[in-house]
Amino acid sequence: MSDFIEEGSKYLIGNYARYPISFVRGEGVYLYDSKGKKYLDMLAGIAVNTLGYSDPELTKAVCEQAGKIIHTSNLFYIEPQIKLAKLLVENSCLDKAFFCNSGAEANETAIKLVRKYFYDKGQPEKYEIVTFTGGFHGRTIGSLTATAQPKYHEGFKPLLQGIKYAEFNNPESLRKCINENTAAIMFEFIQGEGGINPIDNKFLDEIKKIAEDKDLLIVVDEVQTGIGRTGKLFAYQHYDICPDIVTLAKGLGGGIPIGAVLAKDFIAEVFKPGTHGSTFGGNFLATTAGIVVMEKVLSDNFLNEVKEKGEFLENELKKIGLNPRGKGLMIGCPLPENIKASDVAKKSLEKGLIIGTAGGNTLRFVPPLIIDFSEIKEGIDILKSII
Ligand SMILES: Cc1ncc(COP(=O)(O)O)c(C=O)c1O
């Protein structure tokens, strides 16, 4: 083990279970560690590196921007922030954007928007948000509370007031959570950390119906599913729905930290000067990266290819006896109890393949969206030799 890796346990808080590996360089979908070993990356920094590593345009844009201005503050207008907002708004059914730095922060913002919206409407009693078992929304107290998984809550109580949990894909359970205090329903179209669990179409219809009947906002967490991951720019575009609030992060910056919240005008307007903010949110560097990522994802045939490559990945996984689920390049394979997903991920790593795991003993494939068919095949061949 390199000296600096050993020093990690001395100087870093130990909240991550890290592999004793450190990468020094990346190109396309490949990473190279400090010993020169090559890895095929089908995890992409956990659904972050949309354009893989060392994308020439992203690198150039970020370097050039860094040489001009990295950060001012939101006391001033920031040109790339406005350009990125325009790209997001004009390619979605939402009207306005707010920028922050992570998925958790985007979800905190969404929770605040929901509360402020009903407060300003003269209905402060409407503050409860219903979220779902198996969901994941982040690690800050608000987003952690929204994450209906007790294992993440242990040791951190008391949690935020006003979040209720319903069983995912269970309309009856959802109905039981709704009362005169309910303000919003918040969910992922495909639960990522929870095990790549897609929403049922009928359940989504039920959410829409309840939201309409009871005057509730629909908040969708597209932190993992957004920015082309599922073969559409936003996962909501696979369904007949326009959410009121969409949260984004991960893939939007292609590796540069960024979060965003998109909202319809009638909600966005409740954030007046002084109501919310984020020092780094939407700074020059992050939003410059976001523009490059968005332009590439929106370029000719890019999303179509994500869809086709996703279908290819699913078929290849089926051929080696797995049961894939998901959409586009967000695919999970639940494993039988006798095979631990974490063991498979570890063995894959030894053989130069990086894959992830998710809840419910699931293997998770969220590669860079630029992966090609032969690279997918290469990954499957490595996996086949293990399973
Ligand atoms: C759906 C979803 N929401 C929110 C988050 C939290 O994002 P971050 O780690 O950037 O705070 C994640 C992270 O995995 C996620 O998958």
Side-chain angles (χ1 to χ4, degrees):
M1 221 190 287
S2 311
D3 285 352
F4 78 88
I5 287 183
E6 274 171 14
E7 282 189 343
S9 57
K10 184 168 175 207
Y11 293 111
L12 297 174
I13 290 182
N15 57 311
Y16 299 111
R18 298 179 202 260
Y19 297 108
I21 295 172
S22 177
F23 297 108
V24 291
R25 161 174 98 76
E27 209 174 315
V29 293
Y30 295 100
L31 278 168
Y32 299 84
D33 73 11
S34 45
K35 293 179 192 130
K37 183 172 166 184
K38 183 179 177 185
Y39 298 79
L40 169 59
D41 183 9
M42 295 186 84
L43 185 59
I46 319 187
V48 167
N49 300 317
T50 310
L51 308 179
Y53 299 92
S54 306
D55 175 83
E57 278 143 81
L58 181 59
T59 307
K60 185 167 176 272
V62 167
C63 290
E64 279 182 11
Q65 187 57 56
K68 289 193 264 178
I69 305 175
I70 292 176
H71 179 84
T72 56
S73 74
N74 283 300
L75 295 174
F76 305 96
Y77 283 96
I78 296 167
E79 188 177 351
Q81 184 182 124
I82 298 168
K83 278 193 183 158
L84 183 58
K86 187 174 175 191
L87 275 169
L88 289 165
V89 164
E90 290 190 344
N91 288 286
S92 71
C93 65
L94 289 303
D95 302 312
K96 293 268 194 310
F98 166 83
F99 292 101
C100 50
N101 308 287
S102 69
E105 198 186 346
N107 287 327
E108 291 291 334
T109 305
I111 293 169
K112 285 181 72 178
L113 264 178
V114 167
R115 288 188 172 187
K116 187 75 165 50
Y117 169 72
F118 283 105
Y119 176 86
D120 282 9
K121 238 182 137 190
Q123 295 174 285
E125 74 286 358
K126 270 173 90 87
Y127 62 86
E128 283 184 4
I129 299 178
V130 182
T131 67
F132 297 99
T133 53
F136 186 89
H137 302 291
R139 304 280 194 162
T140 54
I141 287 292
S143 64
L144 177 71
T145 309
T147 297
Q149 299 197 52
K151 67 177 179 191
Y152 294 115
H153 297 166
E154 212 180 312
F156 299 113
K157 289 181 182 169
L159 298 177
L160 184 73
Q161 281 184 3
I163 307 273
K164 288 208 160 171
Y165 305 137
E167 199 183 318
F168 193 51
N169 283 332
N170 180 338
E172 197 45 44
S173 166
L174 172 58
R175 284 196 176 277
K176 279 192 191 143
C177 288
I178 309 290
N179 59 44
E180 65 284 0
N181 301 120
T182 313
I185 303 174
M186 176 171 174
F187 58 95
E188 298 154 84
F189 289 101
I190 303 172
Q191 293 184 331
E193 303 299 307
I196 316 292
N197 307 315
I199 197 163
D200 288 347
N201 283 328
K202 279 201 176 136
F203 186 61
L204 185 59
D205 287 344
E206 196 67 20
I207 290 178
K208 279 162 51 187
K209 192 170 177 305
I210 294 173
E212 200 175 325
D213 290 351
K214 307 278 181 192
D215 184 25
L216 311 180
L217 299 180
I218 294 183
V219 180
V220 300
D221 179 340
E222 293 235 30
V223 167
Q224 196 158 155
T225 55
I227 318 301
R229 175 60 51 198
T230 68
K232 300 258 187 200
L233 184 61
F234 302 103
Y236 83 77
Q237 292 165 334
H238 289 283
Y239 309 90
D240 175 25
I241 187 173
C242 177
D244 298 301
I245 299 174
V246 174
T247 60
L248 300 166
K250 288 190 179 280
L252 178 58
I256 304 284
I258 189 168
V261 178
L262 307 181
K264 288 185 181 161
D265 264 331
F266 70 95
I267 301 162
E269 69 183 21
V270 305
F271 270 5
K272 305 259 181 332
T275 49
H276 190 61
S278 176
T279 297
F280 293 118
N283 85 6
F284 281 87
L285 197 69
T287 48
T288 294
I291 292 169
V292 178
V293 171
M294 279 291 284
E295 283 177 346
K296 285 222 170 178
V297 170
L298 291 168
S299 66
D300 285 352
N301 223 25
F302 189 99
L303 288 168
N304 218 9
E305 279 181 16
V306 171
K307 182 174 165 274
E308 284 168 8
K309 290 184 290 196
E311 283 162 6
F312 179 73
L313 172 59
E314 280 198 57
N315 276 332
E316 292 298 308
L317 287 164
K318 277 182 199 155
K319 280 192 209 159
I320 61 169
L322 296 173
N323 290 311
R325 62 188 183 206
K327 269 190 168 55
L329 288 170
M330 181 171 179
I331 301 293
C333 296
L335 297 181
E337 265 172 40
N338 58 337
I339 311 176
K340 270 180 81 183
S342 54
D343 288 343
V344 175
K346 216 167 162 183
K347 283 198 179 132
S348 300
L349 204 55
E350 282 162 20
K351 296 201 166 202
L353 171 69
I354 306 172
I355 52 175
T357 59
N361 199 29
T362 303
L363 290 181
R364 172 164 38 167
F365 302 85
V366 281
L369 302 186
I370 50 127
I371 195 167
D372 69 24
F373 291 92
S374 65
E375 290 158 345
I376 292 174
K377 188 79 181 72
E378 188 187 324
I380 297 293
D381 287 344
I382 298 175
L383 198 61
K384 190 175 165 186
S385 70
I386 295 162
I387 290 186

